[in-house]
Amino acid sequence: MNTAKKAQVILNNRVDYADFIPEGYAIVDQNIVFGDFNGDGLKDFVAIIADGDLNDFDDDNYPGDVRIIIYEGTEEETYVKRAQSGNMTYAFIYEEGDYIKIIKSNVISITHQSMRSDYELKFRFEPNYDTYMLIGTEYSNYGNAYLEGAGDFSTNYLNKTRTIKRRTFNPEQETIIYLPEEKIKLKEDIRTINQVDGSSIDALICCG
C-alpha cells in the first residue's frame, strides 16, 4: 500500500483514534483535528485531552490535568506520540467549545476565551528543532467598562517581536481612544510545546 492510501486508512478508521490516548484520559469535546503537520505525506492528529470524568467537571475537585497532544502518522498505519504540552489546567477548558483549528495548512492553532480576554497559541513543526514549537500568540484583553488594560498583543516568536495596540476610554466624550502602536523585542528563545503550560501563559501572550 502506498503512502497516500495508508494515510487514508488512518484517516477513515476513526475507531482507532481513542486507542492512542493515554489511559485515564479522554478527548475534550471531540477537540481532535487531522492534518499533515510535519510534511511527510501522512495524516497526523492533534487533540486536547484531560483526565477524570469529562461529564463531571468540577472547579473544586477536578484534578485539572489538561494537555495538548500531537501524534504523527506512520507508514505502518499507526500513530506515534510526538509531543505534548505541559498541564494547561482545568481553566483552559472550563467552557465547551472548539479549541483547535489548522491554519496555513500546518500551523496548529489553539484558542481560549474567557469573559474579559481571549488568546491563541500557534504551534508548528520546526525541522531545525525536530519538534513542535510555539511560533506565535495572539491575545486580546477587553478590559473593564473604562477599557482599563484593554489591548491587542500579537507575538511572533520566530523574530522575537511583540506588537501591542492599546485602547482606552474617554468618559467625558464617551469615545474609545486608540493609543500609538508599540513594538518591542523579546529576549526569550522560541519554546517547545512541552514548555507551554497554564503557569506560563500570561508571560507568553502578553507580559513576558
Side-chain angles (χ1 to χ4, degrees):
M1 185 181 295
N2 64 34
T3 297
K5 289 184 178 179
K6 288 180 179 179
Q8 193 61 40
V9 168
I10 295 172
L11 183 62
N12 289 337
N13 193 9
R14 293 188 62 87
V15 70
D16 290 338
Y17 302 153
D19 296 340
F20 298 93
I21 303 303
E23 185 176 356
Y25 286 77
I27 298 172
V28 177
D29 296 333
Q30 296 304 307
N31 272 277
I32 179 170
V33 175
F34 298 86
D36 180 11
F37 307 142
N38 60 356
D40 64 358
L42 294 169
K43 289 293 181 182
D44 313 312
F45 76 80
V46 55
I48 296 176
I49 61 172
D51 62 353
D53 185 351
L54 297 180
N55 296 314
D56 191 28
F57 279 157
D58 187 301
D59 275 320
D60 297 324
N61 300 318
Y62 184 68
D65 196 79
V66 177
R67 310 277 175 163
I68 303 163
I69 193 165
I70 299 172
Y71 282 80
E72 292 180 345
T74 74
E75 293 188 354
E76 288 72 36
E77 301 179 17
T78 186
Y79 286 111
V80 174
K81 187 175 80 170
R82 186 61 190 276
Q84 72 175 30
S85 72
N87 182 10
M88 303 301 292
T89 78
Y90 174 73
F92 186 75
I93 57 166
Y94 74 96
E95 289 185 353
E96 293 184 1
D98 296 327
Y99 302 100
I100 312 175
K101 63 181 178 181
I102 306 301
I103 56 179
K104 297 181 179 179
S105 77
N106 67 342
V107 176
I108 299 167
S109 166
I110 310 289
T111 57
H112 174 270
Q113 187 163 357
S114 63
M115 290 182 62
R116 293 192 178 277
S117 66
D118 61 63
Y119 63 80
E120 176 185 22
L121 309 175
K122 300 175 187 177
F123 300 98
R124 187 174 70 188
F125 180 78
E126 291 293 317
N128 290 340
Y129 297 90
D130 194 34
T131 190
Y132 291 82
M133 311 296 291
L134 179 70
I135 63 169
T137 64
E138 305 292 334
Y139 171 63
S140 292
N141 188 322
Y142 311 138
N144 59 19
Y146 292 97
L147 298 183
E148 293 176 332
D152 299 318
F153 300 72
S154 180
T155 304
N156 185 327
Y157 278 105
L158 296 176
N159 62 21
K160 297 185 178 182
T161 301
R162 175 170 291 152
T163 302
I164 305 172
K165 299 178 180 179
R166 302 182 191 273
R167 54 190 179 274
T168 188
F169 184 73
N170 185 323
E172 295 180 356
Q173 299 180 359
E174 296 186 349
T175 57
I176 298 174
I177 300 173
Y178 295 90
L179 302 179
E181 180 179 286
E182 305 171 51
K183 283 189 179 291
I184 60 175
K185 295 296 291 185
L186 304 176
K187 297 179 180 179
E188 295 85 354
D189 290 329
I190 188 172
R191 298 193 183 204
T192 63
I193 188 172
N194 69 293
Q195 293 176 302
V196 178
D197 59 25
S199 65
S200 64
I201 289 297
D202 285 349
L204 292 173
I205 62 178
C206 72
C207 310

